[in-house]
Amino acid sequence: MRQLHTDSPAMPPGFPLKRLVTSLLLAGSLVASSGVLADTLKLAIMGEPASLDPQQISGTWENDVVGDLFEGLITEAADGKRVPGAAESWKISDDGTTYTFALRKDGKWSDGQPVTADDFVFALQRIMTPENASDYAYILYPIKNAKAINTGKDKPASLGVRAVDDYTLEITLERPTPYFLDQLTHYTAYPLPRHVVEKYGKDWTDPGKMVSNGAFELTEWQPQTRIVAVKNPEFHDAKDVALDEVIYYPIEERNSALKRFRAGEIDIAREFPTQQYRWLKENLPEATHVAPYLGIYYYVLNSRDGHATADPRVREALNLSVRRQVITDKILGTGEVPAYSFVPTGVNHYDIQEMAFKDMSMDERMTKAKALMKEAGYGPDKPLELTLRYNTSEDHKKIAIAVAAMWKPLGVKVNLLNAEVAVHYEDMRQGKFDAGRAGWIGDYNDAQNFLNLLETGVPNNYGAYSNKALDADMSKAANTLDMDARESLMQDAERKALDDYAVLPIHYYVSRNLVNPKLQGWQDNIEDTHRSRWISFSE
C-alpha cells in the first residue's frame, strides 16, 4: 500500500458532515488494519475539462474524470466489456423498441439519497432541451421524440422515457437500434441528481455541491492544476473499490507528463510523446502500453461558404498530397496505420471503404493534385493561403508542420494556429479555420458512430459538411433491421464522403499509455476506457 497524498486539502465548504464522518471512519479503519493510510492514484489527463457536467463535455480527457464520478445504466468492465451498472438487469421487447431496466435498490447518490428512475428521466429530458445546448445530445436520437425535442419541435415531456416506479425505467426507441445498449455506457446517458441540479443550477458541479453516483465523488477542482475525487462509500460496489483518492492532473504537454511519470509524481499518463517510444521500450518496457484503438486521427476541411476548402477540388488536392506513411512511420512510429477511410478498422460488422487514390504512386498523386489546384484557380500567381489549427501537443505540432510542407509544392501557404484543447474545439465549432486537427474515438463499436459526424447539422461535424445523398443513406440505415443491408447503406454513405473528400483522414489510432507497473487492474482495450474503480496497488 502507498500512503495518502499528504497535501490533500481540507474538505470544501458545504461538504456534507455525514460524508466527512464516514470518510474519517474509513480512514481510521485502514490505519488500524494496515498501519498506513489509503492509496491515491495520480492520473495525468490530456487537458483541462470544459465542465464536469456529463451533458456539457465531449472529450476523452473529460470522460476519464466524469466516468469515475458517475455510472450509467450499463458500464464498462476493466477490459472494456459491457456490464450492469446502475441497472442490475433489463428486458427488450420482441420488436426491439422498448427497453425496461430494473435499477439497483442499493444505488445511491454520494449524499445518501437513492438513485431512482426519475433521475434518469430528468437527465435524459434535460440533455434534449435546446436551452441545454449539449453538443452531444444527438447521440441519443434513437430515443423516441429525442430529435424533435432537441430541435425545438416538441416538448421534453414527450421523450420516450418514463419511470414505471422508483426502480423501473422504461425507454422507448424510434426504431430498433442494435447498438443502443452500448450507447447507454456513454456519459450523455448518465443520471443526474435532480435535487442538486434544481437547487444550484449551473453551479451544481462545484466541489461541495456536486453529488454523484459513481465510485468516486468530487472534493476539489483547481482549474489547470488538479481535480481531486475520493472514494464514495455510498457506491453500491464500494467494498470492492481499492483506491481511496484519485487526483487528475490536466497536462497537455506530453513531455511534461512523461517527466512527472519518471519522477514518480504520476501513476498513469494518458498518452506519451511518440518520439520517446524507442527509449520507453528500452528503459520502461513494463510501464509502456501500446494497443489497438478504435479511433481516427483526421483533418477537418471547412465546407462553409467563403473558405477555399468548400471546393471539392481543393479538398481532393490536399488529400492527394499528404504522405500518410511518412507521418505514421517517420514522425510517429508507435504502430499507427495510414488511414484512407473515415471509419477505422476493427469496427463490428463493417468493411471499410477507402479513397480511390490509395494505390497511386506519389508522383501520380502530385501531378493530379497540381492540376486540380490549377483548375480551382490557384497557382504561383495566386497562391492559396490556409489556416491550419491544432490543439496543444508535440505530436499534433509535428504533424501540422509536416502537412504544411507536403502542401507547399501545390503553392499552398499555411498559417499554423495552436490553442489549448477546449478553445481549439470551440473555435472549430464556430468555423474559425480552413483545416483543423480532430480525432474521434468510438463511443460504441458501430460504423454509425463515425459516419454520423458527416451528417448535416450534427454539432461535432466541425466542417459543416453537408451531402443530402449521404444523409439519405444514413437515414435508411437507421431504419434497416437487416445487418448486411444496413452495412451496405453505411458503406455507400462513406463512399460518397470519400469521393467528395469531405475530410482528410491521416491515421488510425493506437492507444499510448504509461502505467505504473505496481498497478493492478489495468487492461488495454480497443476503446481505451479505464475506470479507476478497477485499479489497485500491489502490495
Side-chain angles (χ1 to χ4, degrees), residues 312-533:
R313 295 169 298 185
V314 173
R315 297 198 299 265
E316 182 177 0
L318 297 177
N319 263 284
L320 283 162
S321 58
V322 172
R323 300 170 184 258
R324 293 160 176 81
Q325 196 87 38
V326 172
I327 292 172
T328 58
D329 295 0
K330 304 297 184 182
I331 297 176
L332 299 176
T334 48
E336 291 83 358
V337 177
Y340 297 89
S341 67
F342 190 60
V343 178
T345 55
V347 170
N348 290 338
H349 208 105
Y350 191 82
D351 289 329
I352 63 170
Q353 304 298 293
E354 294 184 306
M355 289 179 166
F357 65 77
K358 178 186 177 184
D359 296 323
M360 291 172 60
S361 71
M362 203 62 220
D363 287 343
E364 291 172 326
R365 285 163 56 175
M366 290 305 295
T367 298
K368 184 175 183 180
K370 290 176 182 178
L372 286 165
M373 292 296 287
K374 183 177 180 180
E375 185 181 328
Y378 300 100
D381 297 331
K382 187 185 176 183
L384 172 60
E385 291 195 19
L386 293 179
T387 297
L388 171 56
R389 298 192 67 103
Y390 64 94
N391 56 293
T392 304
S393 160
E394 296 90 342
D395 288 338
H396 299 338
K397 181 179 181 179
K398 288 189 298 181
I399 292 174
I401 291 172
V403 169
M406 294 171 187
W407 287 343
K408 189 174 182 179
L410 303 181
V412 178
K413 295 182 179 180
V414 178
N415 299 311
L416 297 179
L417 189 58
N418 164 243
E420 63 93 9
V421 65
V423 174
H424 170 74
Y425 278 109
E426 182 57 33
D427 285 348
M428 292 261 282
R429 288 188 181 92
Q430 295 178 20
K432 299 177 181 179
F433 71 103
D434 296 307
R437 179 265 158 190
W440 191 260
I441 308 304
D443 300 303
Y444 44 92
N445 195 330
D446 192 274
Q448 183 271 349
N449 187 227
F450 292 88
L451 295 172
N452 180 247
L453 297 172
L454 301 177
E455 291 188 64
T456 302
V458 170
N460 289 332
N461 179 351
Y462 305 116
Y465 178 72
S466 181
N467 184 320
K468 291 182 179 179
L470 180 151
D471 294 342
D473 281 342
M474 293 302 293
S475 179
K476 290 177 184 176
N479 287 282
T480 300
L481 296 180
D482 182 270
M483 293 299 286
D484 291 336
R486 180 174 178 271
E487 177 190 17
S488 180
L489 285 164
M490 290 193 292
Q491 287 174 328
D492 286 346
E494 183 175 20
R495 171 53 52 201
K496 290 179 174 68
L498 297 178
D499 288 348
D500 205 18
Y501 298 92
V503 293
L504 196 157
I506 295 179
H507 67 77
Y508 307 126
Y509 273 109
V510 292
S511 61
R512 307 192 306 267
N513 294 287
L514 295 176
V515 182
N516 184 341
K518 293 182 179 180
L519 292 182
Q520 295 180 334
W522 175 283
Q523 294 188 42
D524 294 323
N525 60 76
I526 196 169
E527 293 178 9
D528 199 27
T529 299
H530 307 278
R531 302 305 181 204
S532 299
R533 64 180 285 197

Side-chain angles (χ1 to χ4, degrees), residues 128-131 141 145-156:
M128 287 304 157
T129 57
E131 297 78 16
Y141 278 4
N145 295 328
K147 185 174 183 179
I149 297 166
N150 194 229
T151 54
K153 298 175 182 177
D154 211 336
K155 297 179 179 180

Side-chain angles (χ1 to χ4, degrees), residues 90-307:
W90 52 87
K91 296 179 181 178
I92 306 172
S93 63
D94 291 340
D95 66 359
T97 62
T98 302
Y99 289 66
T100 305
F101 297 89
L103 303 190
R104 298 179 182 276
K105 298 288 178 66
D106 57 352
K108 294 181 181 180
W109 295 105
S110 52
D111 62 358
Q113 294 294 311
V115 176
T116 67
D118 183 64
D119 290 317
F120 282 93
V121 173
F122 170 72
L124 293 170
Q125 289 181 345
R126 178 179 182 261
I127 194 171
M128 287 304 157
T129 57
E131 297 78 16
N132 193 45
S134 174
D135 289 328
Y136 234 152
Y138 68 88
I139 201 173
L140 296 173
Y141 278 4
I143 300 176
K144 189 173 182 63
N145 295 328
K147 185 174 183 179
I149 297 166
N150 194 229
T151 54
K153 298 175 182 177
D154 211 336
K155 297 179 179 180
S158 69
L159 188 66
V161 295
R162 73 183 185 100
V164 178
D165 57 43
D166 283 350
Y167 296 100
T168 307
L169 177 70
E170 182 182 273
I171 302 179
T172 303
L173 307 185
E174 293 278 3
R175 60 191 70 86
T177 304
Y179 49 85
F180 184 63
L181 288 176
D182 271 354
Q183 285 184 314
L184 293 179
T185 65
H186 196 257
Y187 45 78
T188 50
Y190 287 169
L192 295 182
R194 179 197 286 266
H195 62 292
V196 174
V197 177
E198 291 184 341
K199 180 178 180 179
Y200 295 113
K202 291 183 178 181
D203 295 331
W204 79 274
T205 57
D206 291 348
K209 297 176 182 176
M210 174 187 264
V211 301
S212 55
N213 73 321
F216 298 88
E217 60 176 318
L218 180 71
T219 60
E220 177 189 343
W221 185 5
Q222 297 181 30
Q224 302 295 339
T225 303
R226 71 182 200 170
I227 298 167
V228 182
V230 299
K231 180 177 177 178
N232 172 16
E234 301 291 352
F235 182 56
H236 62 82
D237 196 31
K239 62 180 176 56
D240 290 324
V241 176
L243 299 173
D244 283 270
E245 184 180 51
V246 184
I247 303 178
Y248 311 86
Y249 297 98
I251 306 175
E252 290 196 42
E253 291 290 343
R254 308 300 189 262
N255 278 315
S256 297
L258 172 57
K259 289 177 182 177
R260 295 185 66 175
F261 181 84
R262 291 181 61 190
E265 299 173 8
I266 287 171
D267 298 304
I268 297 172
R270 298 292 255 146
E271 281 206 2
F272 56 77
T274 54
Q275 68 269 26
Q276 299 294 339
Y277 182 48
R278 181 175 298 180
W279 185 92
L280 287 167
K281 283 197 300 181
E282 293 175 355
N283 294 276
L284 298 174
E286 294 183 356
T288 304
H289 291 247
V290 175
Y293 197 12
L294 192 65
I296 181 77
Y297 185 111
Y298 66 104
Y299 277 179
V300 181
L301 301 175
N302 199 335
S303 294
R304 296 172 178 83
D305 290 341
H307 292 266

